[in-house]
Amino acid sequence: MYPREIVHWISGETAGSSSGATFEKRSPIDDAVVAQVVRGSAADVTRAVDAAAAAADAWSRMPAPRRGEIVGRAAAVLRTREREFGEIVQVETGKPWKNAAAEVASSADLGVFMESEGSRFYGKTMTSPIPNRSVRTERAPIGVCAAIMPFNSPLAGIAWKVFPALVCGNAVVAKSHELAPQTAVAFGQLLQDAGLPRGVYSAVQGLGPEVGTALVDDPRVGLVSFTGSVATGKAIQQRVSGRPVLAKVCLELGGKNPLIVCDDADVTLAAEHAVASAFIDAGQRCAAGSRIIVFDRIYDAFRDALLTRAAAVKVGSGPQDECGPVISRASLDRLLGAVDGATRRGARVLAGGHVVDALKPGYYMAPTILEGVPHDDELSQQELFGPITCLYRVADFDAAIQMANATAFGLTGAIHTFNSNRIEQFIARYRAGLVSINGPTYGAGPHMPFGGVKNSGNGFREPGTEALDVYCEWKTVVVNHDPARV
Ligand code: NAD
């Protein structure tokens, strides 16, 4: 049952806000107010960081395999509570049930992977030119980590950050997204049920400029791990630069991901993957395929296949549906405005471009395909985060690669071809954190490092073993065994 009042989770229990203020959480499915959420304050953040700072030392001294066991137990409990967590994700985002259930399963998978990382936790041993000296590296926890969340996959978002952070021996204060507030509280109860000591994980509710900034400013926070928009990511990085003592900043940001369809592609397969890339989670994915770049020679055949497949997409939040609502009315209005602006600048709407009337007052937008949008138009350059994709016609492979690279983003991308030279050229020349061959633009697994280049991120990768590099510092240890003889 989704609670009517959503509060913080601090020191292992639910907690109200010192401000007394609240804000509404509305359902994307029908626009109904489903809960009042406490509007946190800087004082609430201080309470959560106090709890984290008090708990961090003892937690860091628990052996890493034991910490992993607790994370593994949380993953096991999560699997048994698929319905409870799937329902929370569905109420918050409106996504179709199969996608909400898949999010629960993939979050549990990540916990299983991170449990085993606790038993590895490898460092290196190195030689030394000095006799009787040994040198090695160890992973050291950071202390208190802030985890600032996006709304689109609330449970996976938390699992991606919190499971590795805990295995690495850190305490975590999560900042819930204001549009997906309850997941972080339910996650706190789950961790506690799995045996996590009180205070090691807390979650605060509230608005970014109030609660988010207070968390970023707290000098006890040694890492800010942020997933969200480029604008907020850059603001956080600047703010951390202004602190008397710096903190590590991990930014996982947006994408404007291309899917290239070459003239030797399997057009039906490419259309299937283009539709999934553009419209799953209503396009509210950092890895959404928002630019479909097609060779001139097969453009018409591909467009026909794409439109046929897109017309079959089931919009709604039911068990058989594929494309749910967008997160808020403001987002829906922004997306409709973007399409309207593009058409006024000469773009053609091939599909969608409007609200799904039968599902009003839910925030459902029909899967939308545009063509004739110049590549330097804002619609081609800015992340839309909605069910909108554009078709672009290119003469050849070089033009496709050039266009793929011609945005400020570099998160993911896909190519459809069976030509091995084109495949290798794409891998080498398209600048991004993840490339996919004959598949969709998305693709992540617990063992796979994920992240972007350029405005898509600042060089870190989550999850995979590489996530440990976000949540640990490397410490180099030099031991002189017999100093008198050196
Ligand atoms: P957003 O930047 O609006 O908000 C993200 C979080 O930042 C929210 O919790 C918000 O409250 C908080 N925030 C806002 N202002 C803040 C401030 N000044 N200081 C501190 N915190 C602040 O992003 P969003 O719209 O919620 O999320 C969508 C974005 O997330 C898209 O750009 C998407 O591509 C990106 N995303 C990236 C990945 C990835 O792995 N690269 C995954 C999912 C989503």
Side-chain angles (χ1 to χ4, degrees), residues 148-152 160 175-178 206-209 212-213 216 226-230 232-233 235-236 252-255 285-286 383 385 411 450 456:
I148 303 182
M149 299 298 165
F151 65 79
N152 56 329
W160 274 37
K175 189 241 166 260
S176 284
H177 196 286
E178 35 283 65
L207 309 185
T213 49
V216 169
F226 170 79
T227 299
S229 64
V230 175
T232 309
I236 286 174
E252 301 288 352
L253 308 175
R285 278 188 160 198
C286 52
E383 186 186 39
F385 227 55
L411 190 58
F450 183 86
S456 294

